[in-house]
Amino acid sequence: MDGKAAPNGVATIEDRILRITGYYGYYPGYSSQKSTSKSSVTRCKPGANCPSSHSGISRQLSPLSVTEDSSAPILELQSRGSSGVCGHRVERQNRSADDGTQTHSENSSQENRIKARCLSCTSMVLKAIWGLLIILSVSSSWVGTTQIVKITYKNFYCPFFMTWFSTNWNIMFFPVYYSGHLATAQEKQSPMKKFRECSRIFGEDGLTLKLFLKRTAPFSILWTLTNYLYLLALKKLTATDVSALFCCNKAFVFLLSWIVLKDRFMGVRIVAAIMAITGIVMMAYADNFHADSIIGVAFAVGSASTSALYKVLFKMFLGSANFGEAAHFVSTLGFFNLIFISFTPVILYFTKVEHWSSFAALPWGCLCGMAGLWLAFNILVNVGVVLTYPILISIGTVLSVPGNAAVDLLKQEVIFNVVRLAATIIICIGFLLMLLPEEWDEITLRFINSLKEKKSEEHVEDMTDASAHLRGRSRANGTVSIPLA
């Protein structure tokens, strides 16, 4: 039974069903052509001549009839399907390739981050190790220098000659630096080229005779005064007292920088300066204001003051210097001391102020030991700034106070009363307050705020866990089993 064609081109119900079910062999007019092909096949008696049937059978079995027309959409669908599959495969391959490159880039970036973190952690660990070694070396060299001076005074008391002799050893600073350059640098330079490069601390023209006299003379005088007053103080006071009083130079540096260089005002450093002055007064009071005690305190405070003036003037006229420039400058001070200040110990010798019987009678072992440790201290201070954090150098300096105290107690040269011990502690605390950075208040507030945020986050997490636990318990307690009928 053939129906009329519908408006959408579907002729029969069978066509509609085939179209709805998505039959691959479906094409419009499939059922009508199928019915015509069936109707074209007629039943004939045996032996009868049925030409129409042959034609119908031939039309039905001919490969160019139904199969040709029906296979066309099938091939078209197959070709479309195969092309679609190939397209999907290519697209998937492209997507997989993009995902692979993206994953590879992410992995490489993560590896680079991990390597950078490892390198930063390694550098921090190395700096900390170098810092610990530098702290021990700086404090040990300063304690050793002070104690050797005290030993030398038992048989030989010529403080200016000792100062002049130890300052001459500064000439060896630059050769020591150049030896380190030859041992560590990949591109090695000649001594003259390196000397000219490091002489830029005096200006673009390098070291000239005018600059040598103009810039080196005041610093050489301050250097000599600092060491000479320090040695004079060691004659009147113990090594512990002198090393503690010398730590006041940090407070004097701050006061001079605030006045001369117009540095930032910091209340905590004013407090540290007041503590240093309080410690000085208490140190003088420890011996009931004895004459030698007052003179010794004055010498030690004078040494700290000239040291502070040296540092402030260096920052004003020469600025900051790297390790090579510092080595060049200190060696230049040694040359100036050897050339222009050598007449002073000669005058003191002939005026019998500092006299000795013969050069063979001089304690050369103690003198060389003192000068060597003093040179080592100066080298370590400048090397430490390069290898580790500068604050650790100052900590090494202040640690010389308990080091000298331990040695003095072993030698039984000092008796710590309450006032002396309190003065020493106050001066050391003031020195440590001076080491606080300029943004210490902002850093402290940031740290406190981070701790508060961390505690609040932990409190929220605890409250969330507790509420989840309570909900779980309420659910467990509120379940009722309903029996089946």
Side-chain angles (χ1 to χ4, degrees):
M1 132 180 118
D2 297 335
K4 294 180 180 181
N8 58 359
V10 181
T12 62
I13 295 174
E14 186 179 0
D15 285 337
R16 292 179 183 178
I17 294 171
L18 291 174
R19 184 179 181 184
I20 292 170
T21 57
Y23 176 63
Y24 287 137
Y26 162 76
Y27 61 94
Y30 173 81
S31 59
S32 61
Q33 187 173 357
K34 184 177 179 183
S35 63
T36 55
S37 64
K38 285 183 180 180
S39 63
S40 64
V41 180
T42 58
R43 293 182 181 273
C44 297
K45 293 182 180 180
N49 189 10
C50 300
S52 61
S53 66
H54 290 291
S55 62
I57 293 170
S58 64
R59 195 189 319 164
Q60 182 183 5
L61 298 175
S62 174
L64 298 176
S65 60
V66 179
T67 55
E68 183 180 4
D69 297 334
S70 64
S71 65
I74 295 173
L75 292 173
E76 184 179 359
L77 288 170
Q78 288 178 354
S79 65
R80 287 179 182 176
S82 62
S83 63
V85 171
C86 292
H88 285 302
R89 287 179 180 174
V90 172
E91 187 176 358
R92 288 175 182 174
Q93 289 177 357
N94 292 331
R95 287 181 181 176
S96 63
D98 294 338
D99 293 338
T101 54
Q102 187 176 3
T103 306
H104 180 68
S105 62
E106 290 178 356
N107 292 333
S108 62
S109 64
Q110 288 179 357
E111 289 178 358
N112 292 331
R113 290 175 185 174
I114 292 172
K115 288 181 180 178
R117 289 178 182 176
C118 291
L119 289 175
S120 63
C121 292
T122 304
S123 63
M124 289 179 64
V125 170
L126 288 177
K127 272 195 170 185
I129 293 173
W130 278 112
L132 181 60
L133 294 176
I134 291 293
I135 286 174
L136 295 176
S137 301
V138 167
S139 59
S140 300
S141 60
W142 193 244
V143 170
T145 302
T146 306
Q147 295 297 329
I148 289 178
V149 170
K150 296 290 287 185
I151 293 172
T152 308
Y153 278 170
K154 295 178 179 180
N155 300 319
F156 182 77
Y157 179 70
C158 295
F160 193 89
F161 176 79
M162 295 167 64
T163 303
W164 173 83
F165 181 78
S166 61
T167 306
N168 288 335
W169 281 52
N170 289 337
I171 299 173
M172 300 170 60
F173 200 154
F174 187 80
V176 171
Y177 162 74
Y178 185 72
S179 301
H181 165 74
L182 292 178
T184 57
Q186 295 180 354
E187 297 181 359
K188 298 176 176 56
Q189 300 178 0
S190 62
M192 288 303 300
K193 186 176 181 181
K194 197 65 180 176
F195 185 83
R196 290 172 184 170
E197 179 183 345
C198 295
S199 64
R200 292 177 184 173
I201 189 173
F202 294 98
E204 294 296 332
D205 297 333
L207 183 62
T208 60
L209 181 60
K210 181 180 179 181
L211 289 175
F212 176 73
L213 297 174
K214 182 179 178 181
R215 296 290 173 86
T216 310
F219 292 104
S220 179
I221 293 171
L222 288 174
W223 182 288
T224 304
L225 275 176
T226 299
N227 296 336
Y228 180 60
L229 292 173
Y230 188 84
L231 296 184
L232 288 176
L234 286 174
K235 182 65 176 178
K236 304 292 183 180
L237 300 175
T238 62
T240 305
D241 296 342
V242 176
S243 58
L245 290 169
F246 188 76
C247 289
C248 296
N249 67 340
K250 278 285 182 181
F252 299 150
V253 168
F254 165 70
L255 294 174
L256 289 174
S257 299
W258 179 39
I259 296 170
V260 178
L261 302 180
K262 307 299 180 183
D263 282 356
R264 178 184 174 186
F265 175 81
M266 291 181 63
V268 66
R269 293 188 178 176
I270 290 292
V271 173
I274 295 172
M275 293 178 68
I277 296 171
T278 305
I280 292 170
V281 175
M282 291 178 67
M283 192 70 71
Y285 176 74
D287 293 329
N288 296 323
F289 292 102
H290 192 268
D292 289 341
S293 177
I294 295 175
I295 294 172
V297 170
F299 284 151
V301 173
S303 177
S305 303
T306 52
S307 174
L309 184 60
Y310 174 93
K311 294 178 180 179
V312 172
L313 292 179
F314 187 93
K315 187 177 180 180
M316 179 187 294
F317 292 108
L318 301 176
S320 59
N322 56 29
F323 184 35
E325 293 173 347
H328 182 283
F329 186 76
V330 174
S331 294
T332 306
L333 292 181
F335 275 110
F336 187 91
N337 180 78
L338 180 63
I339 296 171
F340 294 99
I341 304 183
S342 296
F343 67 91
T344 305
V346 175
I347 293 173
L348 294 176
Y349 176 78
F350 285 106
T351 56
K352 305 292 179 136
V353 175
E354 292 186 359
H355 185 77
W356 55 91
S357 59
S358 63
F359 284 98
L362 293 177
W364 292 109
C366 293
L367 292 175
C368 293
M370 177 199 66
L373 286 175
W374 221 323
L375 176 64
F377 174 80
N378 294 322
I379 293 174
L380 288 170
V381 167
N382 290 278
V383 170
V385 176
V386 178
L387 296 179
T388 184
Y389 305 100
I391 190 173
L392 299 179
I393 309 301
S394 301
I395 293 174
T397 304
V398 76
L399 285 179
S400 64
V401 178
N404 281 316
V407 176
D408 288 342
L409 285 174
L410 291 175
K411 293 166 59 178
Q412 297 180 355
E413 291 185 357
V414 61
I415 299 174
F416 283 102
N417 53 22
V418 177
V419 178
R420 189 186 301 274
L421 185 61
T424 304
I425 293 174
I426 288 173
I427 291 174
C428 291
I429 292 175
F431 183 89
L432 293 176
L433 288 177
M434 285 291 175
L435 301 180
L436 291 175
E438 293 185 356
E439 300 83 7
W440 70 274
D441 49 352
E442 299 177 0
I443 296 172
T444 305
L445 291 175
R446 219 178 294 135
F447 179 72
I448 293 172
N449 292 330
S450 65
L451 288 179
K452 289 181 179 179
E453 291 176 357
K454 188 176 180 181
K455 287 182 179 180
S456 62
E457 290 177 357
E458 291 178 354
H459 181 67
V460 170
E461 291 178 357
D462 293 339
M463 291 294 293
T464 305
D465 295 338
S467 60
H469 181 65
L470 289 174
R471 284 198 299 269
R473 289 184 61 183
S474 62
R475 288 177 183 175
N477 294 329
T479 55
V480 179
S481 60
I482 302 175
L484 297 175

